[in-house]
Amino acid sequence: MKKLNFKSSLDNWLTYAGVIIAFVVLQLLASAGGMSSALKGQLVPVCAYIVMALSLNLTVGVLGELSLGHAGFMSVGAFSGAVTAAALASAVPSAGLRLMIAMIVGAVFAALAGVLIGVPVLRLNGDYLAIVTLAFGEIIKSIVTNLYIGVDANGLHISFLKNTLQMEGGKMIMNGPMGVPANTKIATFLAGFILIMITLVIIFNLVKSRSGRAIMALRDNRIAAESVGINVTKYKLMAFVISAALAGAAGSLFGLSQNTIVATKFDFNTSILVLVFVVLGGLGRMWGSIIAAAALTILPELLREFSEYRMLIYAIVLILVMLATNNPTIKGFFAKIFKRKGAEE
Amino acid sequence: MLTFLNHFINGISLGSIYAIIALGYTMVYGIAKMLNFAHGDVIMVGAYVCFFAVSTYNLPPIVGVLLAIVICTLLGVIIEGLAYKPLRQATSLAVLITAIGVSYFLQNAAQLLWTSNPKIFPNMFGGASIKLFGGELIIPVGTLVTIAACIVIMIGLTLFTNMTKMGKAMRACSEDKGAAQLMGINVNRTISVTFAIGAALAAIAGVLLCSAYPSLVPTTGSMPGIKAFTAAVFGGIGSIPGALLGGILLGIIEIFAGAYISTQLSNAIVFLVLILVLLIKPTGLLGKQIREKV
């Protein structure tokens, strides 16, 4: 038992170290000019997707519930963050501080959405839970598409379905189906890095804590866990809400790295994309999620020279990887190698 | 009153399309226990095949439909054999991701082959319509054909699963694969046949869908696919009458929500109703409640 703990905390430290090294190397590379501008533009979105993958891994890998609507929380975070940043543009002149406030607001709103969705949804199981999270993702998309928010000297104005805002001067922040047309890009790579580190600290500490063990016990055998007195709703909701809040912060970061954001960006396909990161990286393996999210966000960018074939190649790679990782012969082969390595140590 | 009736008929027609797609989902789920996310894209392929047969090669519509059915059935069997069969023993998440990969593949292949410019689907049923109440209620023939097709398919499938040997094998496999195999049922072949039937239904649904909403693009199938999937869950996934009931109810709710509440929010209302139903009846309207044994 002690050995196991040691191994998992070694894994955690290696993950922290890997992220720090990657950040330093990329930062040096970017400032030395060894990176194309297209790739540079991808740095912040990659950070956001890594945090998305980590937070979804908490729901799918640690809690063991399939969520197909994770992009909904990202959407809530992105839009509440963008509105906050725009509304505070004159009150908080420092871009860094504004970004921080925006991410916190995004996380809080997404956490509220998480509670609202989690309380009814977590009563369901398996595929039914998956379909309801999908439905919630679509509902959030519909609602956000019909929101109109503007700001003037009197504060925020909000209207739903129709643009009935009566403002004296001021400016529109969210314009219904057009989303946030004029965003200020204040997200930085440093902020993305810090968010990843915070996410890792939260998730690793949660998993190691008493609550984390309760959550994993629920995943492994709900009935057995319940019978030893673990409060199912409480712990499920805890994991789900933390996951939602992290996704919200990631959404804020992502939103503030784009010139325009529209609600349709955060649809079912985005939820699925993040799920692909999590499954390819390995359920419950945080470093796997980080690598998969980074690699698969960059991959379409690297395949740009194949231009129109790139998404086709992406699809084929995805299918082949799934087939290869689940092939008993290949699995057995790797198991043998790792076993031998383990024996030599 | 007449507008109400009109919306009601439109709702049933849209619901019939959802029901036909949902049948494909529910049969595959019942037997292979997997969410076949590529199902919506098979619909799109079927619609394209029919489009080219009818508009480019000037074949009669019925030939176009048959061609679409044949090609989609082949496609379904090929997808199942190449992508899903090797994963029979894998976790359900692995199969889900593979299905998503197949869905991406079909969409992007369609985009390369046929570009993303919308194709205007030909009207398969001519412009004919039936006029009732002195011409105040106009029902296009396409709407009636859609509803009729749904009823015929429903009856056919029920007879097939209840009367034929293959149908019995399917029900046996969905109950217990191990026991079915011991009784001499070829489980792998049964699953392949199920996929073939699902894909054939998808082809029919694709033609009907594009006759009602004529703009055809490579992503045509994805939203109806998701909605039909929710319809299958709504009615109780794995149940054939449930898919019909769920599909029709979903269609009616969608049309009425769009007509009487708000067009922009009709999708949100559909999904909200789904959530409420699942909270009250967690296994769907006609789903079987399975007791958990410890």
Side-chain angles (χ1 to χ4, degrees):
Chain A
M1 192 60 211
K2 209 168 181 187
K3 202 175 167 193
L4 200 83
N5 270 339
F6 171 72
K7 193 163 173 270
S8 77
S9 62
L10 183 71
D11 249 22
N12 296 356
W13 288 115
L14 283 178
T15 312
Y16 288 134
V19 172
I20 294 171
I21 292 169
F23 169 71
V24 171
V25 169
L26 286 173
Q27 190 70 295
L28 287 178
L29 213 62
S31 56
M35 204 183 280
S36 70
S37 61
L39 220 53
K40 243 185 212 169
Q42 288 288 314
L43 285 177
V44 182
V46 166
C47 291
Y49 278 119
I50 288 176
V51 176
M52 282 299 290
L54 288 171
S55 76
L56 186 63
N57 205 340
L58 183 61
T59 306
V60 182
V62 179
L63 176 63
E65 298 289 4
L66 179 58
S67 164
L68 296 178
H70 215 55
F73 298 124
M74 194 181 182
S75 177
V76 171
F79 285 99
S80 54
V83 170
T84 310
L88 293 178
S90 51
V92 184
S94 152
L97 191 62
R98 210 157 70 227
L99 177 66
M100 203 177 87
I101 297 173
M103 289 205 294
I104 292 172
V105 170
V108 169
F109 271 89
L112 286 178
V115 174
L116 210 65
I117 295 170
V119 169
V121 161
L122 292 171
R123 291 176 47 207
L124 301 167
N125 285 322
D127 295 326
Y128 290 96
L129 190 141
I131 193 78
V132 171
T133 53
L134 190 164
F136 266 116
E138 292 295 319
I139 291 176
I140 289 176
K141 192 178 86 184
S142 287
I143 292 175
V144 171
T145 312
N146 291 303
L147 265 183
Y148 296 84
I149 298 179
V151 64
D152 66 0
N154 298 329
L156 283 177
H157 296 263
I158 301 173
S159 75
F160 190 54
L161 281 180
K162 281 196 200 85
N163 187 359
T164 52
L165 300 182
Q166 286 166 349
M167 292 193 297
E168 301 145 19
K171 63 167 186 172
M172 286 298 287
I173 303 174
M174 268 177 81
N175 201 351
M178 278 145 72
V180 180
N183 211 357
T184 38
K185 285 165 81 169
I186 51 173
T188 56
F189 186 38
L190 177 67
F193 163 72
I194 294 172
L195 184 62
I196 294 177
M197 290 305 280
I198 292 174
T199 307
L200 284 175
V201 170
I202 291 175
I203 292 180
F204 284 151
N205 281 305
L206 176 72
V207 170
K208 264 196 290 190
S209 71
R210 186 187 172 84
S211 310
R213 286 195 300 274
I215 292 167
M216 284 185 287
L218 283 174
R219 170 193 67 190
D220 294 335
N221 192 331
R222 190 180 52 101
I223 294 171
E226 218 175 344
S227 70
V228 294
I230 289 175
N231 184 338
V232 179
T233 316
K234 178 184 157 194
Y235 287 108
K236 270 191 174 181
L237 199 62
M238 179 193 271
F240 197 71
V241 171
I242 291 174
S243 167
L246 291 173
S252 286
L253 181 76
F254 181 83
L256 291 169
S257 73
Q258 310 283 316
N259 285 322
T260 55
I261 39 174
V262 287
T264 42
K265 174 80 188 77
F266 309 101
D267 60 356
F268 174 65
N269 288 325
T270 308
S271 302
I272 290 296
L273 189 73
V274 178
L275 183 65
V276 168
F277 299 156
V278 173
V279 176
L280 279 187
L283 291 181
R285 281 200 204 107
M286 297 305 154
W287 55 267
S289 289
I290 295 177
I291 293 172
L296 289 184
T297 315
I298 298 291
L299 182 68
E301 210 57 44
L302 293 181
L303 289 173
R304 188 139 276 187
E305 51 189 300
F306 300 100
S307 61
E308 59 215 50
Y309 294 99
R310 65 188 177 128
M311 284 314 287
L312 200 66
I313 297 172
Y314 182 89
I316 295 172
V317 168
L318 188 61
I319 298 172
L320 289 181
V321 167
M322 286 325 286
L323 290 184
T325 48
N326 285 289
N327 187 314
T329 329
I330 296 176
K331 240 184 180 169
F333 178 72
F334 275 110
K336 230 185 236 165
I337 290 181
F338 282 117
K339 215 171 169 189
R340 194 166 300 155
K341 233 169 113 188
E344 276 167 14
E345 274 170 11
Chain B
M1 188 60 210
L2 278 182
T3 24
F4 177 84
L5 207 59
N6 203 10
H7 288 315
F8 189 70
I9 292 170
N10 284 340
I12 292 185
S13 165
L14 179 65
S16 303
I17 299 174
Y18 286 154
I20 298 173
I21 309 172
L23 280 173
Y25 267 115
T26 224
M27 288 182 68
V28 167
Y29 184 87
I31 200 159
K33 295 283 173 289
M34 69 167 284
L35 304 176
N36 183 12
F37 267 110
H39 196 68
D41 301 292
V42 178
I43 296 171
M44 174 270 298
V45 174
Y48 268 107
V49 170
C50 186
F51 168 80
F52 283 111
V54 175
S55 319
T56 314
Y57 298 103
N58 285 320
L59 296 170
I62 186 74
V63 180
V65 176
L66 289 176
L67 208 62
I69 293 175
V70 171
I71 291 181
C72 281
T73 310
L74 282 178
L75 186 68
V77 173
I78 293 171
I79 291 172
E80 200 270 334
L82 286 182
Y84 303 152
K85 197 177 268 176
L87 294 175
R88 247 355 152 236
Q89 310 301 328
T91 57
S92 62
L93 257 183
V95 188
L96 183 77
I97 301 290
T98 314
I100 291 161
V102 173
S103 162
Y104 281 172
F105 178 82
L106 290 178
Q107 274 181 25
N108 288 293
Q111 187 149 5
L112 280 179
L113 285 173
W114 303 314
T115 74
S116 50
N117 296 332
K119 304 254 188 296
I120 305 302
F121 202 78
N123 194 335
M124 307 281 288
F125 312 104
S129 56
I130 291 170
K131 295 192 174 71
L132 291 176
F133 301 111
E136 284 188 60
L137 182 67
I138 301 170
I139 308 170
V141 171
T143 310
L144 293 177
V145 173
T146 305
I147 298 171
C150 177
I151 295 171
V152 170
I153 288 171
M154 196 45 219
I155 295 173
L157 267 186
T158 313
L159 289 179
F160 176 77
T161 48
N162 285 328
M163 303 291 191
T164 61
K165 216 170 176 184
M166 196 61 195
K168 270 186 197 158
M170 276 179 190
R171 282 186 294 143
C173 286
S174 71
E175 289 267 327
D176 188 331
K177 278 197 199 64
Q181 195 146 26
L182 289 175
M183 295 301 128
I185 293 171
N186 186 340
V187 174
N188 261 331
R189 208 180 59 139
T190 313
I191 294 180
S192 300
V193 171
T194 312
F195 268 91
I197 294 175
L201 292 179
I204 299 172
V207 174
L208 293 173
L209 180 75
C210 287
S211 302
Y213 302 92
S215 171
L216 178 57
V217 287
T219 51
T220 289
S222 50
M223 199 58 200
I226 293 176
K227 280 202 196 135
F229 173 39
T230 55
V233 176
F234 193 53
I237 198 156
S239 143
I240 291 179
L244 178 78
L245 184 68
I248 300 232
L249 281 179
L250 204 72
I252 293 176
I253 295 170
E254 185 178 335
I255 297 281
F256 276 116
Y260 293 111
I261 304 176
S262 154
T263 347
Q264 293 131 298
L265 289 182
S266 68
N267 278 352
I269 292 166
V270 168
F271 287 117
L272 198 66
V273 172
L274 168 89
I275 293 169
L276 291 179
V277 167
L278 283 186
L279 289 179
I280 297 162
K281 248 185 139 298
T283 48
L285 291 173
L286 300 181
K288 271 183 285 182
Q289 187 81 47
I290 299 165
R291 272 273 165 80
E292 252 177 299
K293 291 186 192 134
V294 186

